[in-house]
Amino acid sequence: MGTFTSTSTSTSAIPTIDLSLWRAGLPRTRDRLATTVDRALQQSGFLLITGHGVPRGLPEGIRAAARAFFRQPAEAKMPFLKKPGEYGWSGPKAVATGRAEGAVTPPDLVETWSAGPCPHHSGAGHDHLLPASWPPRTRSPYPAPLPSLQCLIADYTHRMHALADELLQLLAAALGQPLDFFTRHTARPDWTLTLNWYPTIAMTGAPEPGQFRVGPHTLVESLPAPIGRVSHPPITARSYVRSKLAEITLT
């Protein structure tokens, strides 16, 4: 059963939801979890998820393979350079994030690797992932060959898609809706996975005045309610979702 773990002296609490109990499928347990989620999203708006089934070693494997790729000299990464609007490797000084905020800053020093789904992927195997060209397996600097980024990211994104659908089912139950209320619309989601590499000064050299690995910027999210530069009156997550359900008909 979901439990509340208080994070402050206030009355709000962030619950820990054990998805293994949800997966067990017992009606009473699912009802209790849905009630816990409903109450928590009205009070704090956040959830902690455990029992999600994502192996601890998978993100670690992605980090290791990504480090091996990014630590290569630039000429070794050039075959994977992405074109505008595509996925792949983006080298240092490719973007100046601070300019989106109106700041005049030098280009950022960060390197990235981005991946996403093909427009009409089947979800089977690795063919659904873009870009078409991926770094091969690598031996250095690790004692055993690492799997390619493609294999690792394919495994990770498949698991994240399944986890997202599971959470959407839980949210539907918390709202008293059929379990497929949201998931019947998420068979082909649009997403982007980005790996960021923040090189040390020893690798980049001294920065220019006002230059950062990533310039100043604002993160704007869309759920459960817009945040960042958009200001709204206080509202509970449940009230917000219900107001949107009243406005939008999902087909």
Side-chain angles (χ1 to χ4, degrees):
M1 179 162 87
T3 58
F4 282 95
T5 302
S6 179
T7 58
S8 68
T9 58
S10 69
T11 57
S12 296
I14 300 176
T16 297
I17 304 298
D18 186 348
L19 280 184
S20 66
L21 299 178
W22 175 262
R23 290 173 181 150
L26 298 176
R28 289 185 179 180
T29 301
R30 285 194 163 195
D31 288 344
R32 286 197 296 266
L33 287 175
T35 300
T36 299
V37 168
D38 183 29
R39 184 168 63 247
L41 292 182
Q42 293 186 63
Q43 294 177 353
S44 67
F46 293 92
L47 299 172
L48 295 175
I49 302 298
T50 187
H52 46 68
V54 179
R56 183 182 296 272
L58 181 54
E60 295 172 355
I62 292 175
R63 291 189 184 98
R67 288 190 189 103
F69 171 73
F70 284 120
R71 284 173 175 167
Q72 297 179 106
E75 55 268 23
K77 294 178 281 191
M78 285 302 296
F80 311 103
L81 181 67
K82 71 175 184 178
K83 298 178 182 178
E86 296 183 356
Y87 297 103
W89 175 67
S90 178
K93 301 183 180 182
V95 297
T97 308
R99 296 180 188 177
E101 301 287 316
V104 180
T105 62
D108 299 342
L109 297 174
V110 67
E111 296 183 30
T112 64
W113 176 272
S114 59
C118 291
H120 302 291
H121 73 268
S122 64
H126 303 162
D127 295 337
H128 73 291
L129 287 175
L130 291 173
S133 179
W134 287 77
R137 291 164 61 94
T138 180
R139 296 181 180 275
S140 178
Y142 302 96
L146 291 170
S148 70
L149 275 175
Q150 185 177 25
C151 295
L152 292 165
I153 290 177
D155 188 12
Y156 183 78
T157 55
H158 285 153
R159 291 177 183 273
M160 289 298 103
H161 186 187
L163 177 58
D165 280 352
E166 203 164 23
L167 292 174
L168 287 174
Q169 290 178 346
L170 179 52
L171 292 177
L175 290 169
Q177 299 292 335
L179 293 184
D180 68 343
F181 185 76
F182 296 114
T183 56
R184 62 176 179 258
H185 306 284
T186 61
R188 290 180 176 175
D190 187 17
W191 52 266
T192 300
L193 184 145
T194 302
L195 306 176
N196 294 320
W197 172 252
Y198 303 104
T200 64
I201 292 179
M203 298 180 67
T204 64
E208 301 176 30
Q211 188 175 40
F212 299 90
R213 288 180 289 184
V214 175
H217 60 285
T218 300
L219 294 177
V220 179
E221 304 293 342
S222 57
L223 289 175
I227 62 173
R229 289 175 175 253
V230 182
S231 177
H232 294 275
I235 185 173
T236 67
R238 184 184 181 93
S239 298
Y240 175 81
V241 173
R242 286 207 176 278
S243 69
K244 293 305 176 184
L245 292 179
E247 297 172 9
I248 303 171
T249 302
L250 300 177
T251 59

